[in-house]
């Protein structure tokens, strides 16, 4: 199986600054790490992902880093805007399986 | 337009009753899943199906039974409902299983068991 730990559970940042969310996993066979954003009352939506053959991926103000040795991956949101306020979930898929194991989520609050 | 349709959006049930949650996807995907989200367990894998066959099952209770009548359908039957079953149930799909793809999620069925 797999266990994913996600921190912090709540993150408050000033509008325009950066926000960082960190996740760790246990199973070294995990090789795919998607991130989802979920707004109140809505479904989780994929925002970015990274595979184990990469260390960094960037798209539209989002950066994902993966450190396989430390079994750690992180999401960095640059120049945060009010629309970035939401729950964010990291997840891992272990090679040979097709289930997502999610972290417990981070409530990101962008303060004006 | 949503490509993964879940019905109903809201569902209220009494303890001990049985309900069926409906899911159909129009993405041409071959793999479908059920996940559950509650205050106690944020997002939890339940089942995965590929080409209408059960691939993985994380749910301990036999009260939860997925049913796939067509490749793009994966319903979830829940029997002997308990208040602890109250949660949002998300159906999801991906092109294939075992290919490391992030599934897309439906809009969910919010179940309340009284």
């Amino acid at each position: 199986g797999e266990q994913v730990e996600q921190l912090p559970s709540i993150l408050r940042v000033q509008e325009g600054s950066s926000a960082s969310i960190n996740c760790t996993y246990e199973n070294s066979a995990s090789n795919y790490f998607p991130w989802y954003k979920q707004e109140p009352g809505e479904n989780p939506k994929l925002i970015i992902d990274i595979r184990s053959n990469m260390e960094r991926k960037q798209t539209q103000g989002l950066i994902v880093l993966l450190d396989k040795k430390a079994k750690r991956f992180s999401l960095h949101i640059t120049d945060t805007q009010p629309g970035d306020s939401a729950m964010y979930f990291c997840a891992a898929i272990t090679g040979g399986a097709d289930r997502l194991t999610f972290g417990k989520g981070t409530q990101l609050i962008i303060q004006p | 337009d949503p490509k993964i349709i879940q019905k109903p959006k809201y569902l209220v049930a009494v303890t001990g009753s049985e309900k069926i949650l409906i899911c159909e996807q129009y993405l041409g995907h071959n793999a479908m899943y059920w996940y559950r989200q509650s205050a106690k367990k944020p997002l939890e894998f339940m089942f995965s199906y590929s080409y209408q066959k059960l691939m993985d099952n994380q749910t301990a209770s036999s009260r939860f039974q997925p049913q796939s009548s067509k490749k793009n359908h994966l319903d979830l039957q829940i029997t002997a409902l308990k208040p602890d079953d109250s949660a949002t149930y998300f159906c999801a799909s991906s092109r294939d299983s075992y290919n490391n793809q992030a599934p897309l999620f439906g809009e969910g069925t919010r179940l309340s068991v009284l």
Side-chain angles (χ1 to χ4, degrees):
Chain A
E2 176 61 282
Q3 298 278 345
V4 176
E5 297 295 325
Q6 181 173 349
L7 289 172
S9 54
I10 301 175
L11 179 59
R12 292 185 174 88
V13 301
Q14 292 295 121
E15 182 178 345
S17 64
S18 297
S20 296
I21 302 170
N22 298 293
C23 293
T24 58
Y25 60 98
E26 292 185 354
N27 192 332
S28 56
S30 291
N31 56 8
Y32 177 62
F33 307 92
W35 287 84
Y36 287 84
K37 176 182 180 182
Q38 186 177 29
E39 303 197 56
E42 297 193 5
N43 54 352
K45 293 180 175 64
L46 177 70
I47 55 173
I48 193 170
D49 58 8
I50 190 166
R51 298 184 186 277
S52 59
N53 61 351
M54 302 175 72
E55 295 179 350
R56 175 190 171 99
K57 185 174 180 179
Q58 181 170 356
T59 178
Q60 296 180 332
L62 302 175
I63 300 170
V64 173
L65 303 176
L66 173 61
D67 181 342
K68 286 182 292 185
K69 279 188 179 178
K71 296 181 188 171
R72 183 170 55 222
F73 58 113
S74 57
L75 174 68
H76 306 271
I77 306 172
T78 59
D79 188 24
T80 53
Q81 300 299 310
D84 294 325
S85 293
M87 280 292 287
Y88 290 81
F89 292 93
C90 62
I93 289 182
T94 304
D98 62 351
R99 65 167 72 178
L100 277 172
T101 301
F102 283 91
K104 291 187 176 179
T106 296
Q107 179 71 54
L108 176 61
I109 300 166
I110 308 300
Q111 297 175 324
Chain B
D1 289 337
K3 302 296 187 189
I4 302 176
I5 298 174
Q6 290 190 242
K7 297 176 185 176
K9 188 162 183 151
Y10 301 96
L11 187 56
V12 179
V14 296
T15 298
S17 67
E18 171 183 316
K19 294 293 181 186
I20 296 179
L21 280 54
I22 305 295
C23 177
E24 36 191 337
Q25 54 91 4
Y26 296 94
L27 296 163
H29 288 170
N30 298 311
M32 295 185 71
Y33 314 86
W34 279 102
Y35 284 81
R36 176 170 54 191
Q37 185 174 39
S38 67
K40 293 179 184 177
K41 295 186 179 181
L43 270 165
E44 180 186 24
F45 171 86
M46 297 181 73
F47 299 97
S48 66
Y49 267 64
S50 179
Y51 292 93
Q52 294 186 264
K53 292 185 179 177
L54 177 67
M55 303 303 290
D56 198 0
N57 175 359
Q58 179 68 15
T59 303
S61 174
S62 59
R63 296 186 299 108
F64 295 84
Q65 290 293 329
Q67 299 170 344
S68 181
S69 59
K70 299 180 189 178
K71 193 179 88 169
N72 69 327
H73 281 237
L74 186 64
D75 300 336
L76 182 64
Q77 179 185 39
I78 315 175
T79 57
L81 278 160
K82 303 177 180 181
D84 266 357
D85 298 330
S86 297
T88 298
Y89 291 81
F90 288 105
C91 175
S93 71
S94 63
R95 191 175 67 237
D96 292 295
S97 63
Y98 292 87
N99 201 20
N100 291 349
Q101 301 166 5
L104 300 177
F105 284 78
E107 296 184 347
T109 292
R110 288 151 186 81
L111 173 65
S112 295
V113 183
L114 307 177

